């Protein structure tokens, strides 16, 4: 029998150390190192050896490949984020805050895959609780089996007897492996149970969903190795004060990581939002200063989002800079450009910025909408509700071009906007896709101010 080996792991980021240390060198947290067993038992080792012996080298040109082998989840937003559907044998990790709707999303997916037998394994809820939620979501003709179990050995035995087409684990923090003598949720247990499920997914060619918890900092709980073991990491996020939820791809070996899916939380489950532009733009009864609309792109999807700014005289000595859904450092850069290059005195004023709908954007094309909203609030003159913006602002005050301007123009025209303000360098491409919408090119921030406010 092999001697038991232990190591110390950080509970916050999963960093490993041979001895206890007070401050984690990876994440900087104090007193987060705990001792965990890392020595595998002999059955687990023999299983790994056996799995290695069954694999043989294959010439790459002899490997069968089909681009149409993805499995349809019958959930358009999830298919979009995954890159077109489930890849057989893939392991998908879904993370999010407690109560955000991870279990609801996964159970809804399990109930809407009629042609595939799905095994939903829960270590947190009873069968009656899951049935109550399924009644609320609406049960159609499906083959969804429920299993309340936490032992990976028992789970794999049930899987072998049921032979499902997909497996959902809720959640990975509740599972335990017999080869590790540690409590459920510990770093060594999460690593070992995830390894066993990954080995099953690859050998049986069956997709496996793993639901995971996140820490208070917003990162996935458990060792960092967990994110490297899986094929796809999905982040389910949203503000509880809003009814909308966003599904992002943080890592995806089979598709793009820039895609995003939007859902609306309702009483009967999560509703897919096929046209997010209509819900992200607030309808005002009368024009409001400090409000503009930006034409942005998330992955392959063009969207129009509302940008709200509030500029007021600083009540204290140091002006405040606050952002919701936008990078604060980028806002500071844009304010510095307005003051240095264009002469707008904003250094003694508080500036608050909000992206409506609880969405977070990183597209540089939002810059011009942010600048226009700040100027509008500063002089208290509203911008026309039929005007939108799509351009980046450079450090010298120039209006820089953005990619895929044709899709932005088409989306703005489809939603009834009369004018779109873009960079002069995007004029040729924008005109090729424009219909009745007016294209307004600008080259400097000063031109934007004259265009909007005279």
């Amino acid at each position: 029998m092999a001697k038991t080996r232990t190591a110390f792991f950080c509970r916050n980021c999963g960093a490993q150390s041979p001895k206890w240390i007070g401050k984690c060198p990876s994440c900087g947290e104090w007193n987060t190192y705990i001792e965990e067993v890392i020595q595998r038992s002999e059955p687990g080792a023999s299983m790994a050896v056996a799995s290695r012996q069954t694999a043989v080298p294959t010439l790459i040109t002899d490997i069968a490949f089909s681009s149409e082998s993805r499995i349809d989840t019958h959930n358009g937003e999830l298919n979009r984020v995954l890159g077109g559907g489930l890849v057989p044998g893939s392991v998908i990790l879904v993370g999010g805050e407690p109560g955000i709707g991870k279990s609801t999303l996964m159970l809804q997916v399990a109930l809407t895959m009629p042609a595939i037998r799905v095994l939903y394994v829960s270590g947190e809820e009873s069968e009656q609780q899951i049935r109550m939620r399924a009644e609320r979501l609406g049960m159609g003709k499906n083959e969804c089996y429920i299993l309340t179990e936490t032992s990976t050995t028992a789970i794999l035995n049930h899987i072998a007897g049921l032979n499902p087409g997909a497996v959902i684990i809720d959640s990975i923090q509740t599972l335990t492996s017999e080869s590790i003598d540690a409590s459920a949720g510990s770093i060594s247990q999460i690593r070992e149970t995830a390894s066993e499920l990954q080995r099953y997914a690859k050998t049986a060619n069956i997709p496996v969903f793993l639901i995971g918890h996140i820490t208070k900092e917003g990162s996935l709980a458990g060792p960092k190795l967990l994110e490297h073991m899986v094929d796809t990491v999905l982040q389910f996020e949203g503000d509880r004060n809003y009814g909308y939820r966003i599904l992002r791809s943080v890592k995806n070996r089979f598709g793009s990581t820039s895609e995003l899916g939007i859902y609306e939380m309702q009483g009967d489950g999560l509703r897919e939002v096929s046209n997010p532009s209509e819900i992200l733009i607030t309808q005002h009864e009368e024009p409001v200063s400090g409000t503009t609309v930006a034409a942005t792109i998330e992955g392959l999807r063009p969207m129009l989002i509302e940008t709200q700014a509030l500029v007021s005289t600083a009540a204290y000595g140091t002006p405040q800079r606050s952002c919701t859904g936008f990078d604060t450092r980028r806002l500071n850069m844009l304010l510095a450009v307005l003051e240095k290059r264009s002469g707008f005195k904003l250094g003694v004023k508080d500036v608050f910025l909000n992206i409506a709908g609880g969405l977070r954007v990183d597209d540089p094309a939002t810059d011009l909408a942010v600048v226009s909203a700040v100027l509008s609030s500063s002089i208290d003159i509203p911008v026309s509700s039929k005007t939108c913006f799509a351009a980046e602002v450079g450090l010298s005050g120039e209006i820089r071009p953005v990619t895929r301007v044709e899709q932005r123009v088409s989306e703005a025209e489809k939603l009834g906007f009369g004018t779109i303000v873009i960079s002069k360098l995007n004029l040729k491409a924008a005109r090729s896709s424009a219909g009745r919408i007016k294209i307004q090119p600008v080259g400097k921030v000063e031109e934007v101010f004259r265009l909007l406010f005279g």
Side-chain angles (χ1 to χ4, degrees), residues 109-342:
V109 170
L111 295 173
T112 54
M113 296 175 67
I116 297 177
R117 181 178 297 174
V118 181
L119 178 62
Y120 187 98
V121 182
S122 176
E124 299 179 338
E125 297 177 294
S126 65
E127 295 176 352
Q128 291 76 16
Q129 289 176 311
I130 300 174
R131 173 61 189 266
M132 290 173 59
R133 186 190 297 129
E135 290 285 349
R136 178 170 57 87
L137 297 177
M139 296 190 298
K141 294 181 179 180
N142 59 77
E143 288 193 64
C144 178
Y145 291 81
I146 305 300
L147 174 64
T148 55
E149 182 60 67
T150 57
S151 171
T152 54
T153 302
I155 292 172
L156 292 175
N157 289 335
H158 285 293
I159 290 175
L162 186 62
N163 192 25
V167 178
I168 299 174
I169 305 295
D170 184 13
S171 65
I172 188 64
Q173 274 82 7
T174 63
L175 299 190
T176 58
S177 174
E178 295 180 357
S179 60
I180 293 292
D181 186 15
S183 60
S186 62
I187 292 175
S188 54
Q189 281 287 10
I190 293 175
R191 183 179 63 246
E192 183 63 24
T193 54
S195 177
E196 292 180 7
L197 291 170
Q198 181 205 37
R199 185 160 52 244
Y200 158 75
K202 300 304 179 185
T203 55
N205 204 31
I206 300 298
V208 175
F209 284 95
L210 305 177
I211 298 178
H213 300 165
I214 65 171
T215 63
K216 61 182 181 180
E217 290 80 15
S219 58
L220 283 160
K224 206 67 179 175
L225 178 64
L226 178 61
E227 298 182 40
H228 297 296
M229 292 170 60
V230 300
D231 300 306
T232 305
V233 179
L234 304 181
Q235 194 82 10
F236 201 49
E237 57 192 38
D239 193 332
R240 294 191 180 186
N241 298 321
Y242 295 91
Y244 302 109
R245 302 290 186 266
I246 298 171
L247 186 66
R248 291 184 188 273
S249 175
V250 181
K251 169 190 174 182
N252 193 353
R253 290 175 178 167
F254 310 111
S256 172
T257 57
S258 59
E259 290 293 347
L260 126 161
I262 301 180
Y263 298 87
E264 183 181 6
M265 180 65 78
Q266 297 181 339
D268 57 350
L270 292 162
R271 182 184 69 87
E272 300 177 45
V273 178
S274 57
N275 190 2
S277 298
E278 295 181 352
I279 66 171
L280 296 174
I281 300 177
T282 308
Q283 301 297 327
H284 299 282
E285 295 183 357
E286 58 184 21
V288 180
S289 64
T291 300
T292 57
V293 176
T296 182
I297 286 184
E298 288 285 348
L300 299 176
R301 167 186 287 181
M303 293 190 304
L304 296 184
I305 59 173
E306 182 175 306
T307 304
Q308 302 172 345
L310 176 63
V311 180
S312 62
T313 304
Y316 304 99
T318 303
Q320 300 181 65
R321 302 286 187 264
S322 177
C323 291
T324 303
F326 194 77
D327 188 6
T328 306
R329 292 174 296 182
R330 190 160 188 87
L331 174 63
N332 291 331
M333 182 204 76
L334 295 175
L335 297 178
V337 170
L338 287 176
E339 184 148 353
K340 175 71 175 180
R341 304 296 183 185
S342 305

Side-chain angles (χ1 to χ4, degrees), residues 59-96:
L59 187 65
I60 189 170
T61 55
D62 296 337
I63 299 175
F65 170 73
S66 174
S67 59
E68 302 298 329
S69 61
R70 291 181 182 263
I71 302 172
D72 184 10
T73 64
H74 293 269
N75 189 300
E77 297 299 298
L78 180 59
N79 284 341
R80 180 199 304 275
V81 177
L82 290 176
L86 277 174
V87 175
S90 61
V91 182
I92 301 100
L93 177 61
V94 182

